[in-house]
Amino acid sequence: MLPILQKAQTVDNMDMTSCHVRPFLEDVHVQCRTQYDPHCETSIDEAMVAYTGRLSIKQYLPLKPTKRWIKIWAQADPHNGFLNDFQVYTGRANNKVETGLGERSDKRYIWGKNHHVYCDNYFSSVPLFEELLENKTYACVTVRTNRKYLPAGVTQAKLKCQGEMVVLQKEGSMMAVAWHDK
């Protein structure tokens, strides 16, 4: 029992149940990184794996048909769907409210390689885009209009006709587009 307890103490923010899963996840993670050389384009999104067993890292989402999930941030190749990288969300650290969870994905595999990242509004923030651009990584994302640091011309645009749009560009590096879709 003592070796198990020592191992459990070295695993950050995971209890004894999930520390048994960690070696398997690390093996899968290494295989994802070494078995495939990804294209220049990459897609980042959260994935939810349905799970009903006993595990402290599962999330409870009462509005979903399957209520208990394990949340995973995944980086995949949009050309064929191959999983390049992933990170399992293990819950709060030290019972503190967390911010910027979408920015938590491991950026070291895409930095400085002129990759093009595609993701949804969960991962979007202007400071993250600036950081990615400084590291020669480009992003194309959807953004919620209530996000901080977005230009007022985009967030307050009153678009009424389908195809109508507003385009603003910041210092030649970042572009924000608002359009009326349907």
Side-chain angles (χ1 to χ4, degrees):
M1 184 70 168
L2 186 59
I4 294 173
L5 289 174
Q6 289 172 342
K7 186 174 182 181
Q9 290 171 355
T10 62
V11 178
D12 297 330
N13 200 29
M14 292 181 120
D15 67 4
M16 285 179 49
T17 306
S18 54
C19 81
H20 296 293
V21 176
R22 187 171 210 160
F24 170 74
L25 289 177
E26 287 174 352
D27 289 343
V28 172
H29 189 257
V30 167
Q31 293 301 316
C32 286
R33 299 289 329 147
T34 59
Q35 296 299 319
Y36 180 73
D37 190 25
H39 290 92
C40 179
E41 293 86 14
T42 189
S43 174
I44 298 177
D45 203 357
E46 66 177 333
M48 304 298 277
V49 178
Y51 185 77
T52 57
R54 295 175 59 191
L55 193 61
S56 68
I57 62 174
K58 69 183 172 193
Q59 304 290 308
Y60 177 68
L61 302 169
L63 300 178
K64 298 282 187 183
T66 305
K67 310 249 183 268
R68 307 218 187 282
W69 301 82
I70 297 172
K71 185 186 290 191
I72 299 171
W73 285 289
Q75 177 186 341
D77 192 321
H79 296 282
N80 55 24
F82 189 87
L83 187 66
N84 299 327
D85 195 9
F86 68 92
Q87 184 177 15
V88 177
Y89 176 64
T90 58
R92 288 184 183 184
N94 302 324
N95 274 340
K96 294 181 182 176
V97 175
E98 296 177 309
T99 58
L101 292 176
E103 298 175 21
R104 212 188 245 190
S105 61
D106 200 344
K107 296 172 266 205
R108 68 181 158 188
Y109 299 112
I110 57 174
W111 277 17
K113 297 181 180 178
N114 293 315
H115 278 271
H116 299 259
V117 178
Y118 300 92
C119 51
D120 63 10
N121 58 35
Y122 185 80
F123 294 90
S124 61
S125 74
V126 174
L128 174 63
F129 303 151
E130 290 171 344
E131 183 182 7
L132 289 172
L133 191 59
E134 287 173 9
N135 290 285
K136 297 180 181 174
T137 303
Y138 308 98
C140 180
V141 300
T142 58
V143 181
R144 294 181 184 154
T145 57
N146 63 352
R147 289 282 184 175
K148 291 182 183 179
Y149 311 115
L150 287 178
V154 172
T155 60
Q156 298 171 358
K158 304 291 183 206
L159 306 174
K160 297 178 181 167
C161 300
Q162 185 174 357
E164 194 175 6
M165 69 174 68
V166 174
V167 180
L168 296 173
Q169 189 168 2
K170 176 185 175 184
E171 301 170 12
S173 61
M174 224 180 295
M175 184 183 304
V177 179
W179 76 91
H180 184 81
D181 191 17
K182 292 182 183 180

